[in-house]
Amino acid sequence: MRQRTFCFMPLIVLLTTSTVVHAEGGLKKLHQVNKQLSHIENAVNGTQNKYNNTQRTINEVKNGTYAEKSVKRAVTKKKKKAVNSLINHSNNVIRKATNSN
């Protein structure tokens, strides 16, 4: 009986190894598909944002408020950029000061 069990052992090992290899290949394929789906989702979201911005602009042009809102957005963007630049500059100064000690 023992001899019979041992004669099936190589077959069991082969099947187990084959199953593991196929599972790893399947996981790699699933990961690749997941990355592609994420890329597509990001593209769709970008397109949706562009559509929303276009619709907002059309409504502002119809209402006659496009110029003032456009200027307001530009000023807000400039202020954010100036604040972020100041923060980055101060962070760099602090980093240089702490690294020099």
Side-chain angles (χ1 to χ4, degrees), residues 28-97:
K28 286 180 183 177
K29 287 287 186 187
L30 282 174
H31 182 68
Q32 184 180 8
V33 168
N34 190 30
K35 280 174 54 178
Q36 290 172 343
L37 286 174
S38 294
H39 180 72
I40 291 169
E41 183 180 12
N42 290 339
V44 168
N45 288 340
T47 304
Q48 183 66 42
N49 287 341
K50 288 178 185 177
Y51 174 78
N52 291 342
N53 290 343
T54 303
Q55 290 301 321
R56 186 189 69 230
T57 302
I58 290 170
N59 288 336
E60 289 172 1
V61 168
K62 284 180 183 176
N63 297 336
T65 58
Y66 176 75
E68 63 187 58
K69 288 187 178 181
S70 178
V71 169
K72 183 179 177 183
R73 282 191 293 269
V75 168
T76 304
K77 196 173 181 181
K78 283 276 190 191
K79 285 181 182 178
K80 282 183 185 177
K81 193 172 181 179
V83 169
N84 287 338
S85 175
L86 185 63
I87 291 170
N88 289 336
H89 181 69
S90 65
N91 285 343
N92 288 338
V93 169
I94 292 168
R95 191 178 307 114
K96 286 180 182 177

Side-chain angles (χ1 to χ4, degrees), residues 13-30:
V13 169
L14 180 66
L15 285 173
T16 306
T17 306
S18 175
T19 304
V20 168
V21 169
H22 285 313
E24 286 177 356
L27 285 174
K28 286 180 183 177
K29 287 287 186 187
L30 282 174

